[in-house]
Structure formats: C-alpha cells, structure tokens
Amino acid sequence: MKLKFFLIVLLFAYTVQAQSKKSSSQKNGSYGTTPTNWGIGLRVGDPTGVSVKKYLSNGKALEFNLGRSSFWGYDYKDRFYKDDKFSAYDYVGYKKNGGVSLQAHLLFQNDFPNAPGLQWYWGIGPQLRFNTYTFTYRYDGGNAWIYVTEKMTDVDFGVDGIIGLEYHIGGVPLSVFGDVNLLL
C-alpha cells in the first residue's frame, strides 16, 4: 500500500457565514453569540480554494474544501534513477501541472472558557488529490541527445487528521481560522 505524508499548514483563512436563528444557550459551539448554520470562504495553504462549513448541533461541523493542491513538490530524481526501466536515460526534470484536492472533515468544536468567540477543533475525514506531471528525460542517440517527455496523472486517496483554532468575530458574520492538517 502506498503511504504518502503531507503536512499542511493553513496560513490564513476567513469564512463569511449565513445568519440563522438558534438559541445562544447551545452547549459546545455557542460562540458566545447567535451561532450560524453555514459558512463559505477562502482557504489559503494546501489546498488553496473554497471552504464550505455546515455547523451542526452539539459542537460538531462538516467542512468541505475544493482547491488547488501540492504547492510543495517532491523531487522525482531519486525515484527516477532507482527504476531499472530508466537505467539508460538521464533525468532532465519534471513539471507539476495544476493539482486538485477534495477534502471532507467531521469536526468537533470546543469553546475556550472566558474567550468569547474562540474555539479549538479537531477532526477527521477523507481527501482525494489529482496531480498531473510532465517528466523529461534523455538518452544518447549517437550523434545527439534524444529528449523524451511523458505525462502522468497521480491520484491519491487518504485520511486527513486536522486540528485548529477558529475565531468568530462578534457582531458580524465573519470568522478566521487556522489549522494543521495531516494526510496519510
């Protein structure tokens, strides 16, 4: 089984939330003010894209992210030379074309005591990534180098673990969050 490890640091994100009427006495996830049902916003990091969040009862939420993935690359040079199929070739390089990532998380949100609007959360869920690579290598054709390019699509499926902080700005339908995400 192929195991990939990605450490994803979310630099900054914000969520604009659709207002709804709920009791402010709700436990876990009360934000100290009238909570919201839905949030939609921008996620910056890996992936960078659109984030949609559905706030559930009892301090839970569902989060869905769609965006461009894998800004941090992997050097395929070592892997290229370990493959006997390419022993007669020289590695020139590779180009990563736009990758796409789909994430879904079940989040468990908890209020910080004496810090209205601030929550910490953790969660788990699946992630699916698609990346396309163009590899270039060459071989000696006698009188000149012969260059070859190949395209490959890499599909990865794994489980995400996530932990983070979310701050709901009082009086406006806006929150800011930051998290660390691990894909296995």
Side-chain angles (χ1 to χ4, degrees), residues 17 45 48 53 59 66 70 92 112 116-118 120 141 143 148 169 176 178:
Q17 302 168 348
T48 292
K53 196 170 189 180
L66 172 64
S70 296
V92 175
F112 271 105
L118 184 62
W120 71 276
N143 295 331
V148 179
I169 300 169
V176 178

Side-chain angles (χ1 to χ4, degrees), residues 8 43 46-47 50 52 63-67 101-105 125-129 160 162 181-183:
I8 301 166
R43 175 177 279 275
D46 191 359
V50 176
V52 176
E63 178 185 46
F64 302 96
N65 301 305
L66 172 64
S101 178
L102 302 156
Q103 294 175 307
H105 298 125
Q127 182 172 161
L128 182 62
R129 287 181 175 233
D160 275 344
I162 188 169
N181 191 5
L182 178 67
L183 169 65

